[in-house]
Amino acid sequence: DARVTQTPRHKVTEMGQEVTMRCQPILGHNTVFWYRQTMMQGLELLAYFRNRAPLDDSGMPKDRFSAEMPDATLATLKIQPSEPRDSAVYFCASVWGQGLSNYGYTFGSGTRLTVV
Amino acid sequence: KNQVEQSPQSLIILEGKNCTLQCNYTVSPFSNLRWYKQDTGRGPVSLTIMTFSENTKSNGRYTATLDADTKQSSLHITASQLSDSASYICVVSSVGGRSGGGADGLTFGKGTHLIIQP
């Protein structure tokens, strides 16, 4: 089965440290999303790319978060400096084309981030 | 603002019993509605997707219904199994771009946490 691969699966870090999360989308998918999930807020969109170009990052705190897609097989989400309120599960998802009506919208298993 | 509300927030039932999860939405214009299952420690996995013209769709023991007039959907689980314990997330797509909720018009509910007890 094709899958979205995220690394690391778990990350514990101290406040103020830099955190980088990685995502390998499904080969051939040209749209990649980053979501954050907490118990209180559910799934929230942080940013997404199409054909490696950033389309929307309005959900991200710009002063500390950055998302990039250096090539078609890798998307990164970086937090610098990290804060305890960033503790959450971060999901990557990929799809071909627009996310509106596409059946092939696939999530990775997530990175569970704990900032102490 | 487009919203998706799910109920109940959590539910505990005995193995073998049936249950129904609810999803009410205020998303316009509507494109489709999806139900996802999210196991603990995993990403969401799609169960069903329904467009405006579909009012029921099944996937094994899961049956989703959609009433586009009242903007309500339900997910019915028949003969529950321990492996059905998970969160179930309702997601509504809007036509024509951002709906105020997510990428390309996706609005997520906060999910129903279902626990099946032996």
Short mmCIF file of all heavy atoms in Angstrom, two decimals, chain A residues 20-71:
data_model
loop_
_atom_site.label_atom_id
_atom_site.label_comp_id
_atom_site.label_asym_id
_atom_site.label_seq_id
_atom_site.Cartn_x
_atom_site.Cartn_y
_atom_site.Cartn_z
N THR A 20 12.36 19.82 13.88
CA THR A 20 12.08 19.63 12.46
C THR A 20 11.34 18.32 12.26
O THR A 20 11.80 17.27 12.72
CB THR A 20 13.37 19.62 11.62
OG1 THR A 20 14.02 20.88 11.77
CG2 THR A 20 13.06 19.41 10.15
N MET A 21 10.21 18.39 11.61
CA MET A 21 9.42 17.21 11.28
C MET A 21 9.44 17.01 9.76
O MET A 21 9.40 17.99 9.02
CB MET A 21 7.97 17.38 11.78
CG MET A 21 7.87 17.38 13.28
SD MET A 21 6.27 17.91 13.93
CE MET A 21 6.55 19.67 14.04
N ARG A 22 9.49 15.76 9.35
CA ARG A 22 9.62 15.45 7.93
C ARG A 22 8.47 14.59 7.44
O ARG A 22 7.90 13.80 8.20
CB ARG A 22 10.95 14.75 7.68
CG ARG A 22 12.15 15.64 7.92
CD ARG A 22 13.46 14.92 7.73
NE ARG A 22 14.58 15.85 7.84
CZ ARG A 22 15.08 16.28 8.99
NH1 ARG A 22 14.57 15.87 10.14
NH2 ARG A 22 16.10 17.14 9.00
N CYS A 23 8.18 14.76 6.18
CA CYS A 23 7.08 14.02 5.56
C CYS A 23 7.47 13.62 4.14
O CYS A 23 7.95 14.44 3.36
CB CYS A 23 5.83 14.90 5.51
SG CYS A 23 4.49 14.27 4.47
N GLN A 24 7.27 12.34 3.85
CA GLN A 24 7.46 11.85 2.49
C GLN A 24 6.09 11.54 1.93
O GLN A 24 5.43 10.58 2.35
CB GLN A 24 8.33 10.60 2.49
CG GLN A 24 8.59 10.04 1.10
CD GLN A 24 9.51 8.83 1.14
OE1 GLN A 24 10.21 8.58 2.13
NE2 GLN A 24 9.52 8.05 0.09
N PRO A 25 5.59 12.37 1.00
CA PRO A 25 4.25 12.12 0.46
C PRO A 25 4.23 10.90 -0.45
O PRO A 25 5.28 10.37 -0.82
CB PRO A 25 3.94 13.40 -0.33
CG PRO A 25 5.29 13.94 -0.70
CD PRO A 25 6.22 13.54 0.40
N ILE A 26 3.05 10.46 -0.79
CA ILE A 26 2.90 9.35 -1.72
C ILE A 26 3.42 9.77 -3.09
O ILE A 26 3.15 10.88 -3.56
CB ILE A 26 1.43 8.90 -1.81
CG1 ILE A 26 1.02 8.23 -0.49
CG2 ILE A 26 1.19 7.96 -2.99
CD1 ILE A 26 -0.43 7.85 -0.40
N LEU A 27 4.21 8.90 -3.69
CA LEU A 27 4.80 9.19 -4.99
C LEU A 27 3.70 9.52 -6.00
O LEU A 27 2.74 8.76 -6.17
CB LEU A 27 5.61 7.99 -5.46
CG LEU A 27 6.47 8.19 -6.70
CD1 LEU A 27 7.57 9.21 -6.41
CD2 LEU A 27 7.09 6.85 -7.15
N GLY A 28 3.83 10.68 -6.64
CA GLY A 28 2.83 11.09 -7.61
C GLY A 28 1.82 12.08 -7.07
O GLY A 28 1.14 12.76 -7.85
N HIS A 29 1.70 12.15 -5.75
CA HIS A 29 0.81 13.16 -5.16
C HIS A 29 1.50 14.51 -5.23
O HIS A 29 2.66 14.65 -4.86
CB HIS A 29 0.50 12.82 -3.71
CG HIS A 29 -0.52 11.74 -3.57
ND1 HIS A 29 -1.07 11.40 -2.36
CD2 HIS A 29 -1.11 10.94 -4.50
CE1 HIS A 29 -1.95 10.43 -2.54
NE2 HIS A 29 -1.99 10.13 -3.82
N ASN A 30 0.76 15.53 -5.68
CA ASN A 30 1.38 16.84 -5.86
C ASN A 30 0.90 17.88 -4.86
O ASN A 30 1.30 19.04 -4.94
CB ASN A 30 1.13 17.35 -7.29
CG ASN A 30 -0.34 17.66 -7.54
OD1 ASN A 30 -1.22 17.19 -6.82
ND2 ASN A 30 -0.60 18.47 -8.55
N THR A 31 0.03 17.47 -3.94
CA THR A 31 -0.47 18.41 -2.94
C THR A 31 -0.19 17.83 -1.56
O THR A 31 -0.54 16.69 -1.27
CB THR A 31 -1.98 18.65 -3.11
OG1 THR A 31 -2.23 19.05 -4.46
CG2 THR A 31 -2.46 19.74 -2.17
N VAL A 32 0.46 18.62 -0.73
CA VAL A 32 0.89 18.16 0.60
C VAL A 32 0.40 19.14 1.65
O VAL A 32 0.53 20.35 1.48
CB VAL A 32 2.43 18.05 0.66
CG1 VAL A 32 2.87 17.61 2.06
CG2 VAL A 32 2.94 17.06 -0.39
N PHE A 33 -0.18 18.58 2.71
CA PHE A 33 -0.75 19.38 3.79
C PHE A 33 -0.04 19.10 5.10
O PHE A 33 0.37 17.98 5.36
CB PHE A 33 -2.23 19.02 3.99
CG PHE A 33 -3.08 19.10 2.77
CD1 PHE A 33 -3.19 18.02 1.91
CD2 PHE A 33 -3.78 20.25 2.48
CE1 PHE A 33 -3.99 18.08 0.77
CE2 PHE A 33 -4.59 20.32 1.35
CZ PHE A 33 -4.69 19.24 0.51
N TRP A 34 0.06 20.11 5.93
CA TRP A 34 0.47 19.94 7.32
C TRP A 34 -0.69 20.33 8.23
O TRP A 34 -1.26 21.41 8.08
CB TRP A 34 1.67 20.82 7.67
CG TRP A 34 2.98 20.30 7.18
CD1 TRP A 34 3.72 20.78 6.14
CD2 TRP A 34 3.74 19.22 7.74
NE1 TRP A 34 4.88 20.05 6.02
CE2 TRP A 34 4.92 19.09 6.98
CE3 TRP A 34 3.53 18.34 8.81
CZ2 TRP A 34 5.89 18.13 7.25
CZ3 TRP A 34 4.49 17.38 9.07
CH2 TRP A 34 5.65 17.28 8.30
N TYR A 35 -1.05 19.40 9.14
CA TYR A 35 -2.11 19.64 10.12
C TYR A 35 -1.55 19.46 11.53
O TYR A 35 -0.61 18.71 11.75
CB TYR A 35 -3.26 18.64 9.95
CG TYR A 35 -4.13 18.86 8.74
CD1 TYR A 35 -3.86 18.20 7.55
CD2 TYR A 35 -5.23 19.70 8.81
CE1 TYR A 35 -4.67 18.38 6.45
CE2 TYR A 35 -6.05 19.88 7.71
CZ TYR A 35 -5.76 19.23 6.54
OH TYR A 35 -6.57 19.41 5.44
N ARG A 36 -2.18 20.13 12.46
CA ARG A 36 -1.88 19.93 13.88
C ARG A 36 -3.17 19.46 14.55
O ARG A 36 -4.26 19.99 14.27
CB ARG A 36 -1.41 21.24 14.50
CG ARG A 36 -1.18 21.17 16.00
CD ARG A 36 -0.50 22.41 16.53
NE ARG A 36 -1.27 23.63 16.28
CZ ARG A 36 -0.80 24.85 16.50
NH1 ARG A 36 0.43 25.02 16.96
NH2 ARG A 36 -1.56 25.92 16.27
N GLN A 37 -3.04 18.48 15.43
CA GLN A 37 -4.21 17.94 16.10
C GLN A 37 -4.02 17.99 17.61
O GLN A 37 -3.03 17.49 18.14
CB GLN A 37 -4.50 16.50 15.68
CG GLN A 37 -5.81 15.94 16.23
CD GLN A 37 -6.09 14.54 15.73
OE1 GLN A 37 -5.20 13.70 15.66
NE2 GLN A 37 -7.34 14.27 15.38
N THR A 38 -4.96 18.62 18.29
CA THR A 38 -5.00 18.62 19.75
C THR A 38 -6.38 18.17 20.19
O THR A 38 -7.34 18.18 19.40
CB THR A 38 -4.72 20.02 20.33
OG1 THR A 38 -5.75 20.92 19.85
CG2 THR A 38 -3.36 20.54 19.90
N MET A 39 -6.47 17.78 21.45
CA MET A 39 -7.78 17.35 21.97
C MET A 39 -8.79 18.49 21.91
O MET A 39 -9.96 18.28 21.59
CB MET A 39 -7.62 16.88 23.41
CG MET A 39 -6.90 15.56 23.55
SD MET A 39 -7.85 14.20 22.91
CE MET A 39 -9.17 14.12 24.10
N MET A 40 -8.33 19.68 22.19
CA MET A 40 -9.26 20.81 22.28
C MET A 40 -9.70 21.30 20.90
O MET A 40 -10.87 21.63 20.70
CB MET A 40 -8.60 21.97 23.03
CG MET A 40 -8.35 21.69 24.50
SD MET A 40 -9.87 21.40 25.40
CE MET A 40 -10.65 22.99 25.27
N GLN A 41 -8.79 21.34 19.97
CA GLN A 41 -9.09 21.98 18.67
C GLN A 41 -9.35 21.00 17.54
O GLN A 41 -9.81 21.39 16.47
CB GLN A 41 -7.93 22.91 18.28
CG GLN A 41 -7.68 24.05 19.24
CD GLN A 41 -8.87 24.97 19.34
OE1 GLN A 41 -9.60 25.20 18.38
NE2 GLN A 41 -9.12 25.50 20.53
N GLY A 42 -9.03 19.74 17.75
CA GLY A 42 -9.16 18.80 16.64
C GLY A 42 -8.07 19.06 15.61
O GLY A 42 -6.99 19.56 15.92
N LEU A 43 -8.37 18.76 14.35
CA LEU A 43 -7.41 18.96 13.26
C LEU A 43 -7.45 20.39 12.76
O LEU A 43 -8.50 20.90 12.38
CB LEU A 43 -7.70 18.01 12.11
CG LEU A 43 -7.18 16.59 12.25
CD1 LEU A 43 -7.91 15.64 11.32
CD2 LEU A 43 -5.69 16.55 11.95
N GLU A 44 -6.29 21.04 12.72
CA GLU A 44 -6.19 22.40 12.22
C GLU A 44 -5.16 22.44 11.09
O GLU A 44 -4.06 21.92 11.23
CB GLU A 44 -5.70 23.36 13.31
CG GLU A 44 -6.55 23.42 14.55
CD GLU A 44 -5.88 24.28 15.60
OE1 GLU A 44 -4.93 23.79 16.24
OE2 GLU A 44 -6.28 25.44 15.77
N LEU A 45 -5.52 23.08 10.00
CA LEU A 45 -4.58 23.21 8.90
C LEU A 45 -3.51 24.24 9.24
O LEU A 45 -3.81 25.35 9.67
CB LEU A 45 -5.32 23.66 7.64
CG LEU A 45 -4.43 23.92 6.43
CD1 LEU A 45 -3.86 22.61 5.89
CD2 LEU A 45 -5.21 24.63 5.34
N LEU A 46 -2.26 23.86 9.01
CA LEU A 46 -1.16 24.80 9.22
C LEU A 46 -0.71 25.41 7.88
O LEU A 46 -0.54 26.62 7.76
CB LEU A 46 0.03 24.10 9.88
CG LEU A 46 -0.21 23.57 11.29
CD1 LEU A 46 1.01 22.79 11.78
CD2 LEU A 46 -0.51 24.71 12.25
N ALA A 47 -0.49 24.54 6.90
CA ALA A 47 0.01 24.99 5.60
C ALA A 47 -0.20 23.91 4.57
O ALA A 47 -0.36 22.75 4.92
CB ALA A 47 1.50 25.32 5.70
N TYR A 48 -0.21 24.31 3.29
CA TYR A 48 -0.18 23.28 2.26
C TYR A 48 0.49 23.78 0.99
O TYR A 48 0.61 24.98 0.75
CB TYR A 48 -1.56 22.68 1.98
CG TYR A 48 -2.54 23.49 1.18
CD1 TYR A 48 -2.81 23.17 -0.15
CD2 TYR A 48 -3.27 24.51 1.77
CE1 TYR A 48 -3.76 23.85 -0.87
CE2 TYR A 48 -4.21 25.21 1.04
CZ TYR A 48 -4.47 24.87 -0.27
OH TYR A 48 -5.41 25.56 -0.99
N PHE A 49 0.97 22.81 0.23
CA PHE A 49 1.73 23.05 -0.99
C PHE A 49 1.06 22.32 -2.15
O PHE A 49 0.48 21.25 -1.97
CB PHE A 49 3.16 22.47 -0.86
CG PHE A 49 3.99 23.10 0.22
CD1 PHE A 49 3.80 22.75 1.55
CD2 PHE A 49 4.97 24.02 -0.09
CE1 PHE A 49 4.57 23.32 2.55
CE2 PHE A 49 5.75 24.59 0.90
CZ PHE A 49 5.54 24.24 2.23
N ARG A 50 1.19 22.92 -3.31
CA ARG A 50 0.81 22.20 -4.53
C ARG A 50 1.96 22.37 -5.51
O ARG A 50 2.40 23.48 -5.76
CB ARG A 50 -0.49 22.70 -5.12
CG ARG A 50 -0.92 21.95 -6.39
CD ARG A 50 -2.39 22.09 -6.71
NE ARG A 50 -3.19 21.48 -5.69
CZ ARG A 50 -4.18 22.10 -5.04
NH1 ARG A 50 -4.50 23.33 -5.34
NH2 ARG A 50 -4.85 21.47 -4.11
N ASN A 51 2.39 21.23 -6.07
CA ASN A 51 3.55 21.25 -6.97
C ASN A 51 4.73 21.98 -6.32
O ASN A 51 5.43 22.76 -6.97
CB ASN A 51 3.18 21.88 -8.31
CG ASN A 51 2.10 21.09 -9.02
OD1 ASN A 51 2.09 19.86 -9.01
ND2 ASN A 51 1.17 21.79 -9.64
N ARG A 52 4.88 21.76 -5.02
CA ARG A 52 5.98 22.27 -4.20
C ARG A 52 5.85 23.75 -3.89
O ARG A 52 6.66 24.28 -3.11
CB ARG A 52 7.34 22.00 -4.86
CG ARG A 52 7.67 20.52 -4.98
CD ARG A 52 8.98 20.33 -5.71
NE ARG A 52 10.05 21.09 -5.05
CZ ARG A 52 11.19 21.44 -5.65
NH1 ARG A 52 11.39 21.13 -6.92
NH2 ARG A 52 12.11 22.10 -4.98
N ALA A 53 4.86 24.42 -4.44
CA ALA A 53 4.70 25.85 -4.15
C ALA A 53 3.76 26.03 -2.97
O ALA A 53 2.69 25.39 -2.92
CB ALA A 53 4.15 26.57 -5.37
N PRO A 54 4.11 26.87 -2.01
CA PRO A 54 3.21 27.10 -0.88
C PRO A 54 1.96 27.83 -1.32
O PRO A 54 2.04 28.85 -2.00
CB PRO A 54 4.06 27.96 0.07
CG PRO A 54 5.10 28.58 -0.80
CD PRO A 54 5.35 27.66 -1.93
N LEU A 55 0.79 27.27 -0.99
CA LEU A 55 -0.47 27.89 -1.38
C LEU A 55 -1.12 28.65 -0.23
O LEU A 55 -1.81 29.63 -0.44
CB LEU A 55 -1.45 26.83 -1.90
CG LEU A 55 -1.19 26.28 -3.29
CD1 LEU A 55 -2.39 25.47 -3.78
CD2 LEU A 55 -0.89 27.40 -4.29
N ASP A 56 -0.93 28.13 0.96
CA ASP A 56 -1.59 28.74 2.10
C ASP A 56 -0.83 28.36 3.35
O ASP A 56 -0.65 27.18 3.63
CB ASP A 56 -3.05 28.26 2.20
CG ASP A 56 -3.86 29.07 3.21
OD1 ASP A 56 -3.27 29.65 4.13
OD2 ASP A 56 -5.10 29.10 3.07
N ASP A 57 -0.37 29.33 4.09
CA ASP A 57 0.25 29.04 5.40
C ASP A 57 -0.34 29.95 6.47
O ASP A 57 0.30 30.25 7.47
CB ASP A 57 1.77 29.16 5.33
CG ASP A 57 2.22 30.57 4.96
OD1 ASP A 57 1.36 31.44 4.78
OD2 ASP A 57 3.44 30.79 4.86
N SER A 58 -1.56 30.37 6.24
CA SER A 58 -2.18 31.32 7.17
C SER A 58 -2.49 30.70 8.53
O SER A 58 -2.73 31.40 9.50
CB SER A 58 -3.46 31.90 6.56
OG SER A 58 -4.37 30.86 6.25
N GLY A 59 -2.48 29.38 8.61
CA GLY A 59 -2.75 28.71 9.88
C GLY A 59 -1.54 28.57 10.76
O GLY A 59 -1.63 28.08 11.88
N MET A 60 -0.40 29.01 10.27
CA MET A 60 0.86 28.84 10.99
C MET A 60 1.28 30.12 11.70
O MET A 60 1.21 31.19 11.09
CB MET A 60 1.98 28.53 9.97
CG MET A 60 2.38 27.11 9.97
SD MET A 60 3.65 26.64 8.80
CE MET A 60 4.25 28.11 8.10
N PRO A 61 1.76 30.00 12.95
CA PRO A 61 2.39 31.17 13.59
C PRO A 61 3.70 31.46 12.86
O PRO A 61 4.67 30.71 12.97
CB PRO A 61 2.65 30.68 15.03
CG PRO A 61 1.87 29.42 15.20
CD PRO A 61 1.72 28.83 13.84
N LYS A 62 3.73 32.53 12.11
CA LYS A 62 4.85 32.78 11.19
C LYS A 62 6.16 33.07 11.92
O LYS A 62 7.24 32.87 11.35
CB LYS A 62 4.53 33.98 10.29
CG LYS A 62 3.31 33.87 9.46
CD LYS A 62 3.55 33.03 8.21
CE LYS A 62 2.40 33.16 7.23
NZ LYS A 62 1.07 33.13 7.84
N ASP A 63 6.04 33.57 13.14
CA ASP A 63 7.28 33.96 13.81
C ASP A 63 8.11 32.75 14.21
O ASP A 63 9.33 32.87 14.39
CB ASP A 63 6.97 34.83 15.04
CG ASP A 63 6.03 34.13 16.02
OD1 ASP A 63 5.28 33.22 15.59
OD2 ASP A 63 6.03 34.52 17.20
N ARG A 64 7.48 31.60 14.34
CA ARG A 64 8.24 30.45 14.82
C ARG A 64 8.12 29.21 13.93
O ARG A 64 8.92 28.30 14.02
CB ARG A 64 7.78 30.08 16.24
CG ARG A 64 7.98 31.20 17.25
CD ARG A 64 7.61 30.76 18.66
NE ARG A 64 6.21 30.36 18.75
CZ ARG A 64 5.80 29.11 18.89
NH1 ARG A 64 6.68 28.13 18.94
NH2 ARG A 64 4.51 28.82 18.97
N PHE A 65 7.14 29.17 13.10
CA PHE A 65 6.90 27.99 12.25
C PHE A 65 7.33 28.31 10.82
O PHE A 65 7.12 29.42 10.33
CB PHE A 65 5.42 27.61 12.23
CG PHE A 65 4.92 26.90 13.46
CD1 PHE A 65 4.98 27.50 14.71
CD2 PHE A 65 4.38 25.64 13.36
CE1 PHE A 65 4.50 26.84 15.84
CE2 PHE A 65 3.88 24.97 14.48
CZ PHE A 65 3.95 25.58 15.73
N SER A 66 7.88 27.30 10.18
CA SER A 66 8.17 27.43 8.75
C SER A 66 7.97 26.08 8.08
O SER A 66 8.27 25.03 8.67
CB SER A 66 9.58 27.96 8.50
OG SER A 66 10.54 27.06 9.03
N ALA A 67 7.42 26.10 6.88
CA ALA A 67 7.19 24.88 6.12
C ALA A 67 7.83 25.02 4.76
O ALA A 67 7.75 26.08 4.14
CB ALA A 67 5.69 24.60 5.97
N GLU A 68 8.49 23.96 4.34
CA GLU A 68 9.16 23.98 3.04
C GLU A 68 8.95 22.65 2.34
O GLU A 68 8.64 21.64 2.96
CB GLU A 68 10.67 24.23 3.22
CG GLU A 68 11.01 25.58 3.78
CD GLU A 68 12.52 25.77 3.93
OE1 GLU A 68 13.27 24.77 3.84
OE2 GLU A 68 12.93 26.91 4.13
N MET A 69 9.18 22.69 1.03
CA MET A 69 9.15 21.46 0.26
C MET A 69 10.34 21.49 -0.69
O MET A 69 10.22 21.90 -1.85
CB MET A 69 7.84 21.32 -0.49
CG MET A 69 7.47 19.91 -0.72
SD MET A 69 5.79 19.62 -1.17
CE MET A 69 6.01 17.90 -1.68
N PRO A 70 11.51 21.08 -0.19
CA PRO A 70 12.72 21.18 -1.00
C PRO A 70 12.70 20.35 -2.27
O PRO A 70 13.34 20.71 -3.25
CB PRO A 70 13.83 20.72 -0.04
CG PRO A 70 13.14 20.02 1.07
CD PRO A 70 11.77 20.56 1.16
N ASP A 71 11.97 19.25 -2.26
CA ASP A 71 11.74 18.51 -3.49
C ASP A 71 10.42 17.76 -3.40
O ASP A 71 9.76 17.80 -2.36
CB ASP A 71 12.92 17.56 -3.82
CG ASP A 71 13.14 16.50 -2.78
OD1 ASP A 71 12.20 15.70 -2.53
OD2 ASP A 71 14.23 16.46 -2.18
#
